[in-house]
Amino acid sequence: MLDIFKYSKIPDYELLRIWTSPIYRQSVLDNPYMLFPEDAKHKFFQAYNLKDEDSLNFSIPFLSNRIINNESLKKQISNLSKIDNLSNILPLSILTKALSDDGFKSDLIKNPNKILADFGYDTKGFKVNIFKDTDRLKNIIIPPSGLNEQELAYYEFSA
């Protein structure tokens, strides 16, 4: 199976620390290499909060030059979203189209609020930023830390 999400999912134990420690969260934002130290020599990382004061941030994962059909891609994305209900990925319909259509991906990066509105998503006055991963650059989007007790217990148990 093609691993298009190799760097999109932050390990649970790191995510728990990011969610529970504002100091650690800021450390990751300042130095995202600490999440993937084994790749620090040959990858560039940038980290963003999923939601800042007036913006929402998303990234489009990098795909190698392999041909991937939409059904295979949808299955991989669906499997990821079933595992991680606090996902930081774009809605499935938009992400699938962006990964399979370079023109759409370009339009999405240039005018994300319009594209999201065209798909029926209300950005609630936020400016949306779309970052494109490459083979050498990974944009890490850190989900918000508003976990309820049940979600925190899950992460504490699995960490």
Side-chain angles (χ1 to χ4, degrees):
M1 178 191 232
L2 177 63
D3 185 10
I4 65 172
F5 299 105
K6 182 174 180 186
Y7 302 106
S8 65
K9 191 164 188 311
I10 299 169
D12 284 353
Y13 64 91
E14 292 288 3
L15 197 52
L16 180 62
R17 288 180 67 195
I18 290 167
W19 281 332
T20 58
S21 169
I23 292 170
Y24 187 69
R25 181 184 193 89
Q26 190 58 53
S27 296
V28 169
L29 287 166
D30 293 340
N31 180 20
Y33 292 91
M34 63 195 298
L35 294 176
F36 305 101
E38 67 280 1
D39 292 319
K41 291 183 181 177
H42 58 279
K43 290 266 185 199
F44 298 101
F45 295 95
Q46 295 177 333
Y48 305 91
N49 283 309
L50 175 64
K51 181 179 175 184
D52 288 322
E53 287 180 26
D54 61 348
S55 63
L56 295 171
N57 300 303
F58 298 97
S59 66
I60 299 172
F62 171 75
L63 293 177
S64 64
N65 291 329
R66 300 180 193 189
I67 296 173
I68 297 175
N69 67 41
N70 279 347
E71 288 310 309
S72 171
L73 187 57
K74 284 179 187 176
K75 185 175 180 183
Q76 290 179 59
I77 295 168
S78 293
N79 287 341
L80 178 70
S81 62
K82 284 177 192 167
I83 295 168
D84 183 6
N85 62 356
L86 299 166
S87 179
N88 59 1
I89 63 173
L90 288 164
L92 175 61
S93 55
I94 295 172
L95 182 57
T96 301
K97 188 164 181 163
L99 289 171
S100 60
D101 179 340
D102 286 337
F104 178 79
K105 183 189 314 182
S106 181
D107 290 344
L108 178 62
I109 291 168
K110 288 178 191 169
N111 200 351
N113 286 72
K114 180 188 179 314
I115 300 292
L116 285 166
D118 290 349
F119 275 76
Y121 293 95
D122 179 9
T123 57
K124 297 178 180 128
F126 284 95
K127 177 187 183 307
V128 177
N129 301 305
I130 307 289
F131 303 99
K132 184 176 104 177
D133 294 347
T134 69
D135 61 338
R136 304 237 337 123
L137 171 68
K138 170 61 189 144
N139 295 286
I140 300 168
I141 309 299
I142 300 173
S145 56
L147 293 178
N148 64 38
E149 288 181 29
Q150 183 181 9
E151 291 165 325
L152 236 145
Y154 167 78
Y155 280 98
E156 288 175 341
F157 177 75
S158 63

